[in-house]
Amino acid sequence: MNKTNIHYKNNKLFVASIAIVVALALFVSPMLNVDDALATHNKKNKAKQSIDQSQSSNQNAQCVSGVTTFLSCNNVSFQHQKNSGNNALAQGGQGGNSAEQSISQSQSSSQNSQVVSGGDTIGSGNNINVQSQENTGSNALAQG
């Protein structure tokens, strides 16, 4: 036998050994499970689950000019929050289940602009704020 055949057989033996260990672990683990985290029987269950998002924007601008003020002292804020997917919670047992579940989003924007000019103030001192919040998917809770 050359070295390539020995190396190939050793790799096959190694892979087969790993497969046997994983299969044995998957077979034995349910028998050793004493308590299931989300679905216990004859016990009280408590669960808290939340998705929280917060955004804040504080902007101040002040311009003083002796001549024309063009496109100055503008405040611009873009905020976007998106949740997609599921926020699911399940409990089993015989009563006494307590669950809190939420999706919370908050946004705030504070803008202040002051322009003092000796000439035209074209396009100056504007406050622009664009905010959006989007949730897609489910927020499901089940207790048994």
Side-chain angles (χ1 to χ4, degrees):
M1 260 191 198
N2 61 26
K3 288 184 179 181
T4 305
N5 287 342
I6 293 172
H7 182 68
Y8 178 73
K9 286 185 179 186
N10 285 342
N11 281 346
K12 256 178 115 174
L13 180 63
F14 180 71
V15 170
S17 299
I18 297 248
I20 290 171
V21 168
V22 169
L24 185 60
L26 291 173
F27 179 74
V28 173
S29 64
M31 293 180 223
L32 298 175
N33 191 8
V34 178
D35 212 346
D36 187 356
L38 291 178
T40 58
H41 298 285
N42 299 324
K43 293 188 178 192
K44 294 180 180 178
N45 296 317
K46 288 186 179 183
K48 290 184 180 182
Q49 184 174 352
S50 67
I51 296 173
D52 297 317
Q53 292 179 320
S54 178
Q55 291 177 327
S56 178
S57 173
N58 295 311
Q59 297 176 331
N60 292 305
Q62 185 174 28
C63 293
V64 178
S65 173
V67 294
T68 299
T69 307
F70 181 71
L71 294 176
S72 300
C73 294
N74 294 308
N75 293 317
V76 180
S77 173
F78 296 98
Q79 297 179 339
H80 179 72
Q81 295 178 332
K82 181 178 182 178
N83 287 318
S84 56
N86 299 316
N87 186 12
L89 180 102
Q91 293 180 326
Q94 295 180 348
N97 292 331
S98 171
E100 294 179 29
Q101 185 177 15
S102 67
I103 296 175
S104 301
Q105 292 177 318
S106 68
Q107 293 174 325
S108 68
S109 178
S110 174
Q111 296 175 324
N112 182 23
S113 181
Q114 297 175 344
V115 179
V116 177
S117 177
D120 293 334
T121 58
I122 300 167
S124 299
N126 296 302
N127 292 317
I128 300 169
N129 181 29
V130 178
Q131 298 179 332
S132 67
Q133 296 178 331
E134 179 182 345
N135 287 307
T136 58
S138 302
N139 189 14
L141 172 76
Q143 292 181 325

